[in-house]
Amino acid sequence: MASRILLVEDDSTIGEVLASSLRSHAHEVMWEQTGAGGLARAAGTVVDLVLLDLGLPDLDGVEVCRQLRRTQPGCVLVILTARVAEMDVVVGLEAGADDYLVKPIRLAELHARIRAHLRRNEATGAAPPVRSIGDLVVDVSRRRVTVSGQELRLRPKEFDLLACLAARPDVALTRETLMSEVWDENWFGSTKTLDVHVAALRRKMTEMAALAGAQVPEIVTLRGHGYRLALDPPTSDGVAR
């Protein structure tokens, strides 16, 4: 079954190249050249993946990202940016994006990322269906997380990251392992996207635990290595959040 991709890109030359290349890989492509057009298209149909240029002529790309995340909570959202500053990428990720690509975009890398994202969305049925740690329950087959019975709403990549950590509680996972399993086995470059997703996941889990009076595992930072999911907070092992 063809994947439905929404491309929001104002540059006609880039848009034509991307849309044509995506269609040649059997994707159904909807191309809009404005933020308003992209939001209108997203409001009328369910999409599997969005490619969103941040430099749009009519609306702020980051705000479009936020609105797309609300209207398409289950899709993969990838931002396209010519902004090389790390803060611009972080802002886009915090606004709801799952991933980013820096222009000029290499088509081979684009298609590799898309395949990886869509494959992970389809592969959750092969994982153990339910993982319980403290009052946290990760239902992999239903892509649902609860804390003391209350649903914790997560973005797609936040769920994938938590499911990856919860599959091996108290095991130290390297940054490279997490990027490979949650994003792309061929990932290279900055792993800032991982830090942004960990920070968002920690905040949501802490807020829900406080609201429900529950105990949830902590995502512990292992400096120079990666992260692990531990029910008990670190004490004397020298690890800090």
Side-chain angles (χ1 to χ4, degrees), residues 46-147:
V46 176
V47 298
D48 299 300
L49 185 142
V50 176
L51 295 173
L52 171 65
D53 178 25
L54 287 185
L56 297 171
D58 58 332
L59 299 174
D60 177 67
V62 173
E63 180 55 32
V64 174
C65 184
R66 290 193 184 97
Q67 293 190 42
L68 284 171
R69 177 49 70 209
R70 288 195 291 268
T71 57
Q72 296 283 340
C75 81
V76 177
L77 207 165
V78 180
I79 54 177
L80 312 177
T81 179
R83 306 171 186 177
V84 296
E86 185 177 82
M87 184 54 64
D88 291 325
V89 171
V90 170
V91 170
L93 292 168
E94 290 179 339
D98 299 299
D99 195 2
Y100 68 94
L101 287 168
V102 177
K103 294 181 177 180
I105 296 166
R106 290 172 292 187
L107 292 177
E109 182 182 2
L110 170 69
H111 290 298
R113 293 280 185 90
I114 289 175
R115 284 194 302 271
H117 284 305
L118 296 177
R119 185 168 59 245
R120 284 180 177 81
N121 272 10
E122 295 170 354
T124 55
V130 179
R131 299 160 181 160
S132 299
I133 307 173
D135 296 318
L136 178 78
V137 176
V138 181
D139 188 333
V140 177
S141 61
R142 298 173 63 194
R143 293 187 67 84
R144 186 169 182 261
V145 177
T146 58
V147 175

Side-chain angles (χ1 to χ4, degrees), residues 7 22 27 44 68 96 105 155 162 211:
L7 170 64
L22 290 166
H27 298 297
L68 284 171
I105 296 166
R155 289 157 35 190
L162 180 57
L211 183 65

Side-chain angles (χ1 to χ4, degrees), residues 160-179 181-182 194 220-222 224-229:
D160 293 339
L161 176 58
L162 180 57
C164 183
L165 289 164
R168 287 159 285 186
D170 281 326
V171 173
L173 300 178
T174 66
R175 298 177 68 84
E176 292 75 18
T177 294
L178 290 167
M179 290 303 303
E181 295 191 12
V182 179
L194 173 60
V220 179
T221 299
L222 306 171
H225 185 81
Y227 298 96
R228 78 166 184 265
L229 194 66

